[in-house]
Amino acid sequence: MSLNRSEKEAVINEVTNLAAQAQTLVMAEYRGITVADMDKLRVNARSNGVTLSVLKNTLARRAVNGSSFEVAADQMTGPLIYGFSEDAVAAARVVADFAKTNDKLVIRAGVYSGKVLDVDGVKKLASIPSKEVLLAQLCGLLKSPISRTAVVLGALAAKKGEEAAA
């Protein structure tokens, strides 16, 4: 079923708005994936703040024209699913995690910060810890010297207390 001109313009506007808000775009071939598996992927994507869309490639090229995702226009061929996310790693993580369990989903490319990522680049981006994990690690690093100092001071106080008692 083909879209008429107004429907095409609506799709282009919707995807243009997604691209304007997103930091990351991941493209993957979905040939051979069952509807049930695709539904699982979409539910997982929605829960992680990723918008997945199956688009005509010509419409996708027009929608990203003029955005930072335009650099991947030559990669937009074949049956692709497009994942946009405002979080820098969410789209890459959702698609890469699903590709680990379903060999029919083949990561094609991605775009982050105006640079095209190959398959390995998308997987590396997906392996970056989430913001919450990074903040927890930072807090642990900041807390570590303070807690070590407190332990040393406590040991010195205990030693002085033992000397005074003797």
Side-chain angles (χ1 to χ4, degrees):
M1 180 170 126
S2 64
L3 302 173
N4 64 31
R5 186 176 181 94
S6 63
E7 291 171 331
K8 288 178 184 178
E9 288 175 5
V11 169
I12 290 172
N13 288 335
E14 181 182 342
V15 176
T16 301
N17 291 336
L18 280 173
Q21 296 173 0
Q23 288 189 34
T24 308
L25 165 66
V26 176
M27 298 174 284
E29 280 189 38
Y30 63 92
R31 192 175 297 163
I33 295 180
T34 64
V35 173
D37 287 341
M38 188 64 89
D39 286 342
K40 288 178 191 172
L41 175 60
R42 286 180 190 273
V43 167
N44 187 23
R46 250 183 256 121
S47 67
N48 287 298
V50 177
T51 304
L52 290 178
S53 302
V54 176
L55 304 167
K56 288 184 127 186
N57 294 321
T58 54
L59 296 179
R61 278 189 219 103
R62 286 184 188 166
V64 299
N65 192 16
S67 72
S68 62
F69 303 121
E70 185 177 17
V71 295
D74 60 332
Q75 299 284 334
M76 296 178 181
T77 58
L80 295 178
I81 189 164
Y82 296 89
F84 291 94
S85 68
E86 291 181 33
D87 180 9
V89 297
R93 183 174 296 126
V94 166
V95 173
D97 288 347
F98 188 79
K100 287 177 189 174
T101 60
N102 192 324
D103 60 341
K104 295 190 184 210
L105 185 75
V106 179
I107 299 171
R108 175 74 74 80
V111 180
Y112 174 69
S113 187
K115 295 180 183 145
V116 177
L117 303 173
D118 60 354
V119 176
D120 291 331
V122 171
K123 289 180 181 177
K124 285 179 185 175
L125 184 63
S127 67
I128 294 174
S130 69
K131 181 179 177 180
E132 292 80 18
V133 171
L134 290 173
L135 287 174
Q137 290 174 349
L138 178 65
C139 289
L141 287 173
L142 293 174
K143 181 182 163 190
S144 178
I146 296 169
S147 63
R148 286 188 198 146
T149 304
V151 168
V152 169
L153 291 175
L156 286 173
K159 186 175 180 183
K160 291 221 180 216
E162 288 175 4
E163 289 176 3

